[in-house]
Amino acid sequence: MAEKRNIFLIGPMGAGKSTIGRQLASQLHLDFIDSDHEIERRTGADISWVFDVEGEAGFRVREAEVIDDLTQEQGIVLATGGGSILSKESRNYLSARGVVVYLETTIDKQLVRTSRDKRRPLLQTEEPRDVLETLADDRNPLYEEIADFTVKTDEQSAKIVANQIIKLLDF
């Protein structure tokens, strides 16, 4: 039996990882998993609550465990949290166990896409642009480090981006 391939979507919050991931999984007949939803399922609490109680460091430990577990699956499209690449172990798991696609977007698009979402603990501030710029400075090099492919998501629908990814991956 042929081994099923995995697709791991990385990128900043608001890049469209979950929306595009669902499209990809549907078109490729793969299972879709969102790592943030898996953390919520395992803890029985939403991400904001985990951040409040355990802090970002505690959340990142849980996230690294989930990434390790999920990347051992076969035949999945995984949408990762924006900070999942902060862990060196998670970066290693992602790059070794599947094809990594970096969904790149601009700060302006992130602001538009996340403006009404109150479930993103890092953006619960008066200056979300400053937060996003700092995160981009810290994280973009890490996304680039492990990406097999980079796809811009700014001006395209999820379906068009999913089709671009399918062509790139030659699935």
Side-chain angles (χ1 to χ4, degrees):
M1 183 170 143
E3 182 177 314
K4 291 184 176 181
R5 295 177 13 181
N6 292 325
I7 301 170
F8 304 136
L9 302 178
I10 62 170
M13 64 180 92
K17 297 180 297 287
S18 297
T19 304
I20 293 165
R22 281 189 203 90
Q23 279 283 331
L24 263 177
S26 174
Q27 291 187 47
L28 296 172
H29 307 288
L30 299 174
D31 293 327
F32 172 74
I33 304 172
D34 181 308
S35 65
D36 283 348
H37 291 165
E38 181 64 17
I39 293 167
E40 290 177 337
R41 188 189 68 75
R42 290 182 184 190
T43 61
D46 65 26
I47 298 298
S48 295
W49 186 87
V50 176
F51 256 74
D52 285 345
V53 173
E54 300 180 354
E56 184 174 356
F59 173 78
R60 296 293 173 212
V61 168
R62 288 185 183 276
E63 183 176 54
E65 292 169 0
V66 164
I67 295 293
D68 181 20
D69 291 347
L70 295 177
T71 55
Q72 294 181 57
E73 301 282 329
Q74 290 296 314
I76 66 167
V77 175
L78 175 64
T80 63
S84 62
I85 44 73
L86 294 172
S87 159
K88 182 176 172 105
E89 290 78 20
S90 292
R91 291 195 306 276
N92 289 340
Y93 296 142
L94 291 164
S95 61
R97 297 174 179 166
V99 178
V100 180
V101 180
Y102 170 22
L103 300 181
E104 187 178 49
T105 190
T106 62
I107 301 290
D108 288 339
K109 267 301 181 200
Q110 286 182 269
L111 284 168
V112 169
R113 291 175 178 161
T114 60
S115 65
R116 294 188 189 134
D117 189 346
K118 301 300 178 202
R119 296 176 32 124
R120 299 180 186 270
L122 294 176
L123 293 184
Q124 304 312 306
T125 173
E126 294 295 316
E127 300 295 335
R129 176 178 288 280
D130 292 346
V131 171
L132 292 173
E133 288 174 350
T134 299
L135 292 174
D137 288 344
D138 293 343
R139 297 177 179 181
N140 288 356
L142 300 175
Y143 298 134
E144 293 164 1
E145 173 188 308
I146 63 168
D148 294 302
F149 300 99
T150 300
V151 178
K152 294 185 185 300
T153 65
D154 276 0
E155 303 301 330
Q156 305 177 77
S157 72
K159 187 171 185 176
I160 289 173
V161 173
N163 287 336
Q164 286 177 341
I165 293 169
I166 290 168
K167 283 182 185 173
L168 283 171
L169 301 181
D170 195 27
F171 263 66

